[in-house]
Structures are given as C-alpha cells and as structure tokens.
C-alpha cells in the first residue's frame, strides 16, 4: 500500500486511535470498557473509505464532487458498521460526526451544527481532533506532512475557545508522548 501511495487510509485510523487512547488514559476520566468502545469507534470511523474508488486517494486536485464523496465517508462507515459491530447508537453518531471540526467539512458546509443528531462533546471533539492531527502529520498525494506544532496550532484555533482545558490535556499528552521517545 505504501507503493500505491494511499497507505494513510490504513495508518491514519490506527495512529489517531493510539493518540486518542493516550489522551483518554492520561485524563483518568474513563473506565476500561469506555476506552474499549472509543477504541472501536475511532479505529473503525474511516472504514467507509473502503467504498470509495482508490484512484480518488491519489489525486492531487479534487473537484467539488470528489471532495464531497471523500467527506461523505463517515456516513458510509456507519452504513457498513450498523448491525455488524456492537457499538451503541451514540458511538455511531460520533462516527457520523467525526469530521465536525474538520476544515474541509466546514469549507463544504457539510457540518449541520443545528441538526439534533449531531453529537458534540468531549468524545466527538477528541476523535475529530486526533484524526486531524494524524492526518496533518502524514504525507498526502496533494501535500507534504505538517509538523506536530502546526497541527496543534490548528487544533487550538478549532477548539481552543470552546474546550480550553481539553486543549491543554491534548498538548500535555503530546508533550509527554514525544518526551518519552
């Protein structure tokens, strides 16, 4: 898959899930069963990408239809997982909304923040943010990887005012993560 150039489709869910688990464990706010459910939620959130033609992954310039197709993968993920994986309905809604803080989702006006089915909160924000960080720090066909600092700066812009304590928790996790390497 690395030779094909879209290995990030497999690596990003794993990387973002590892980051999420680290933040959740460091927060000491969750029991093991909750962490297991969020592991599944985060790791399987992008399974809908498997229904999108792989040639779309390697395009450097996407037209609006392609952007909408790729941004629609959360709903595809829910359609694939529903009834197959034992996730509670609120976790499926988190998957549907895991791009709520995504700049692409907001640019395309795909985030309906008035929709009563939109799940906000710490967990949705964390899954979305860890997905954003994992995406930014890896190369893509259309751009080079960004630094962790730059990705955290974007996270600060996206959630800093709404979730200031959570942002501090995220920064502390990454500071400790990279200090231990």
């Amino acid at each position: 898959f690395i030779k094909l150039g879209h290995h990030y489709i497999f690596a990003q869910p794993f990387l973002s899930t590892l980051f999420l688990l680290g933040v959740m464990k460091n927060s000491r706010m969750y029991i093991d069963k909750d962490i297991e459910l969020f592991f599944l939620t985060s790791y399987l959130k992008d399974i809908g990408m498997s229904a999108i033609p792989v040639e779309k992954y390697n395009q450097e310039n996407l037209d609006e239809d392609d952007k909408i197709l790729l941004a629609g993968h959360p709903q595809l993920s829910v359609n694939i997982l529903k009834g197959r994986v034992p996730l509670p309905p609120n976790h499926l809604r988190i998957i549907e909304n895991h791009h709520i803080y995504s700049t692409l989702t907001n640019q395309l006006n795909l985030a309906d923040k008035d929709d009563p089915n939109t799940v906000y909160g710490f967990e949705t924000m964390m899954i979305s943010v860890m997905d954003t960080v994992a995406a930014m720090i890896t190369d893509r066909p259309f751009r080079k990887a960004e630094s962790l600092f730059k990705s955290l700066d974007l996270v600060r812009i996206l959630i800093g005012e709404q979730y200031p304590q959570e942002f501090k928790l995220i920064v502390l996790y990454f500071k400790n993560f990279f200090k231990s390497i």
Side-chain angles (χ1 to χ4, degrees):
F1 288 108
I2 290 172
K3 288 179 185 174
L4 293 174
H6 53 270
H7 61 283
Y8 58 86
I9 297 303
F10 304 100
Q12 182 179 328
F14 183 70
L15 185 59
S16 66
T17 300
L18 286 178
F19 292 159
L20 176 71
L21 293 178
V23 172
M24 291 180 86
K25 284 199 169 272
N26 283 350
S27 75
R28 295 186 172 95
M29 295 174 14
Y30 296 91
I31 62 172
D32 289 344
K33 183 65 177 167
D34 288 338
I35 291 173
E36 288 173 21
L37 282 172
F38 284 107
F39 169 84
L40 283 175
T41 301
S42 180
Y43 191 61
L44 298 174
K45 71 187 174 304
D46 290 325
I47 200 164
M49 293 294 285
S50 65
I52 296 172
V54 294
E55 59 270 7
K56 300 293 182 188
Y57 302 155
N58 295 328
Q59 289 179 221
E60 289 187 26
N61 297 308
L62 298 171
D63 63 25
E64 290 303 307
D65 290 337
D66 290 337
K67 289 178 183 177
I68 290 170
L69 175 67
L70 290 169
H73 78 271
Q75 185 58 53
L76 291 171
S77 295
V78 169
N79 294 346
I80 291 168
L81 296 171
K82 205 174 214 173
R84 290 186 176 100
V85 177
L87 287 173
N90 61 323
H91 284 254
L92 292 173
R93 285 193 299 279
I94 289 171
I95 290 172
E96 283 177 327
N97 297 295
H98 81 268
H99 281 281
I100 199 75
Y101 295 97
S102 163
T103 54
L104 175 62
T105 299
N106 290 321
Q107 285 170 359
L108 296 173
N109 293 317
L110 295 175
D112 185 359
K113 295 184 179 181
D114 296 323
D115 183 347
N117 292 319
T118 299
V119 177
Y120 290 104
F122 179 71
E123 293 86 3
T124 304
M125 179 273 299
M126 288 300 297
I127 287 174
S128 181
V129 163
M130 294 301 113
D131 193 45
T132 299
V133 170
M136 287 184 70
I137 65 173
T138 55
D139 286 334
R140 297 302 163 98
F142 49 89
R143 65 158 175 75
K144 289 290 183 193
E146 297 288 350
S147 68
L148 178 62
F149 178 80
K150 191 164 184 174
S151 69
L152 290 175
D153 193 42
L154 176 63
V155 168
R156 181 188 54 76
I157 292 166
L158 293 172
I159 69 161
E161 287 184 28
Q162 189 177 5
Y163 294 100
Q165 297 303 339
E166 289 81 354
F167 177 70
K168 289 177 186 175
L169 183 67
I170 293 166
V171 170
L172 180 64
Y173 166 72
F174 281 110
K175 183 179 176 182
N176 290 334
F177 178 83
F178 285 103
K179 189 186 323 180
S180 67
I181 294 180

